[in-house]
Amino acid sequence: MVAYGSAMASVLVVEDDPNVRTALIRELSVRSHVVRSVGTAMDALREVTQSPPDVVVLDLGLPDLDGAEVLKMLRGISDVPVIIATARDDEPEIVRLLNAGADDYLIKPFSIEHLSARLAAVLRRSVRSGPTAELRVGGLHIDLDRREAALDGEPLELTRREFDLLAYLAARPGRVVARRELLAEVWRQAYGDDQTIDVHLSWLRRKLGETAAAPRYLHTVRGVGVRLAEPGPRP
Ligand code: CA
């Protein structure tokens, strides 16, 4: 079962294939989203500047600019959540784009149910707010309102997803969190690929200055999940 999420959103579809555009506009409109669409990267950048949407669905195969280039330019002007749509099932490229600021991705051809689920997840994350809350685990300090994290007083440059992952684990220090739980609670997916989680964990590890082989905060429990815990004194 897929939840469509409660919020109706303004969605900017960036897609040069008129058939795909028409289908997306129709299906998303049926689901109560307000949809605009453009067919080039330059038009997308102008739209985001002039009338920021809640979320962008970005086709990577556009006629005027390479997808990675578009994403970089988008990120230069806006924090709007971006879901990339790619015809290439190309793991390194997808990881590169997630790290460059994409929030999620879809491999073409994708179903409208799949897109709806991703939209709902991205929107839930971007509107999430609550009372002032801070988490501290050892030298790790996470400000949930400001969405800022620091390690030993040094700010961490985290992507949205890395922050969510870190915050989820830090709220449960010492507990082994199963991959399935992370997928459900951080990725908001009922099923998925362990590799997605592992890739994000490895980026997060790198930013925390540790490795899987020599962990300090992030401990992988083989076959089970991952645990965030206050490290012992440095040897
Ligand atoms: Ca295309």
Side-chain angles (χ1 to χ4, degrees), residues 72-113:
K72 203 167 91 185
M73 292 171 78
L74 256 178
R75 276 292 164 260
I77 57 172
S78 169
D79 281 334
V80 64
V82 176
I83 300 174
I84 52 179
T86 174
R88 293 164 284 182
D89 186 1
D90 179 350
E91 184 78 16
E93 172 72 358
I94 290 166
V95 168
R96 197 164 67 84
L97 290 166
L98 288 172
N99 205 45
D103 292 83
D104 216 331
Y105 68 94
L106 289 162
I107 308 276
K108 290 180 170 185
F110 52 82
S111 68
I112 192 68
E113 284 75 18

Side-chain angles (χ1 to χ4, degrees), residues 6-88:
S6 50
M8 141 185 142
S10 111
V11 183
L12 177 63
V13 171
V14 187
E15 169 63 68
D16 61 322
D17 181 327
N19 294 327
V20 177
R21 268 168 82 166
T22 305
L24 284 179
I25 291 167
R26 185 180 59 236
E27 295 295 338
L28 289 171
S29 300
V30 164
R31 285 161 174 81
S32 301
H33 295 302
V34 178
V35 190
R36 284 175 289 153
S37 79
V38 292
T40 65
M42 293 320 285
D43 284 342
L45 293 167
R46 197 183 55 236
E47 277 292 314
V48 167
T49 311
Q50 288 176 355
S51 173
D54 295 324
V55 58
V56 175
V57 179
L58 176 65
D59 172 34
L60 289 184
L62 292 171
D64 53 341
L65 277 175
D66 170 66
E69 200 61 31
V70 186
L71 189 61
K72 203 167 91 185
M73 292 171 78
L74 256 178
R75 276 292 164 260
I77 57 172
S78 169
D79 281 334
V80 64
V82 176
I83 300 174
I84 52 179
T86 174
R88 293 164 284 182

Side-chain angles (χ1 to χ4, degrees), residues 177-195:
V177 179
R179 282 190 168 73
R180 180 173 297 190
E181 180 177 338
L182 289 176
L183 208 53
E185 298 299 327
V186 179
W187 272 258
R188 300 282 173 183
Q189 292 175 17
Y191 60 91
D193 186 356
D194 278 3
Q195 211 177 351

